[in-house]
């Protein structure tokens, strides 16, 4: 009979099989104890895979946060506007203190900034 070789195969190379599929096709007369080693290994492997995925996901989130922070630092420099500086949208000088600075460095009058997520000069979209 093939019972012994099948059990040995599962218990020795369980990582190569899907535990849910194996449980569906196992004969109902087989006691769970015959495939205990396979089930334990499959459970440990599943937990390990789940933890690894969570760790990778959180590492990715952390890296994304660091890059966003660096980007904010790079974009957060001073804005120098003088009497001779003109708005690139309406070509008028900046006569009041109300202005908008886009992430790409473009500076416009507040009234010329139609959409805070789209640069009116380059058309670059900054939304999330």
């Amino acid at each position: 009979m093939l019972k012994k070789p099948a059990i040995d195969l599962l218990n020795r190379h369980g990582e190569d099989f899907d535990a849910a599929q194996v449980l569906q096709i196992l004969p109902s007369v087989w006691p769970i104890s015959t495939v205990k080693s396979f089930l334990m290994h499959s459970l440990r492997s599943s937990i390990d895979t789940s933890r690894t995925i969570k760790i990778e996901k959180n590492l990715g989130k952390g890296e994304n946060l660091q890059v966003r922070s660096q980007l904010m630092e790079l974009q957060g420099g001073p804005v120098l506007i003088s009497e001779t500086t003109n708005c690139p949208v309406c070509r008028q000088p900046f006569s009041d203190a109300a202005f908008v600075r886009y992430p790409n460095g473009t500076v416009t009058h507040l009234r010329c900034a139609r959409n805070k997520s789209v640069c009116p000069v380059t058309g670059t979209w900054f939304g999330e």
Side-chain angles (χ1 to χ4, degrees), residues 10-60:
L10 285 174
N11 287 332
R12 289 191 182 144
H13 303 286
E15 66 276 358
D16 297 330
F17 299 97
D18 182 331
Q21 289 179 351
V22 168
L23 290 174
Q24 288 177 351
I25 62 172
L26 280 180
S28 59
V29 295
W30 284 17
I32 290 291
S33 61
T34 58
V35 288
K36 178 182 175 184
S37 178
F38 163 72
L39 293 174
M40 294 293 285
H41 182 74
S42 293
L43 183 60
R44 285 186 186 120
S45 177
S46 177
I47 290 170
D48 182 56
T49 300
S50 176
R51 287 180 179 158
T52 300
I53 289 170
K54 286 179 183 177
I55 290 169
E56 288 173 352
K57 179 181 173 185
N58 286 325
L59 286 172

Side-chain angles (χ1 to χ4, degrees), residues 50-116:
S50 176
R51 287 180 179 158
T52 300
I53 289 170
K54 286 179 183 177
I55 290 169
E56 288 173 352
K57 179 181 173 185
N58 286 325
L59 286 172
K61 284 182 179 180
E63 184 177 2
N64 187 21
L65 188 59
Q66 286 178 335
V67 169
R68 283 177 171 241
S69 175
Q70 291 170 349
L71 181 62
M72 287 175 58
E73 286 177 19
L74 290 173
Q75 294 172 343
V79 175
L80 302 174
I81 298 175
S82 69
E83 306 84 39
T84 60
T85 306
N86 291 336
C87 171
V89 175
C90 68
R91 306 283 184 222
Q92 298 297 313
F94 288 93
S95 56
D96 59 1
F99 64 89
V100 175
R101 180 181 182 185
Y102 287 89
N104 63 353
T106 300
V107 178
T108 69
H109 289 114
L110 181 60
R111 67 179 178 271
C112 295
R114 294 177 205 89
N115 184 337
K116 67 177 184 173

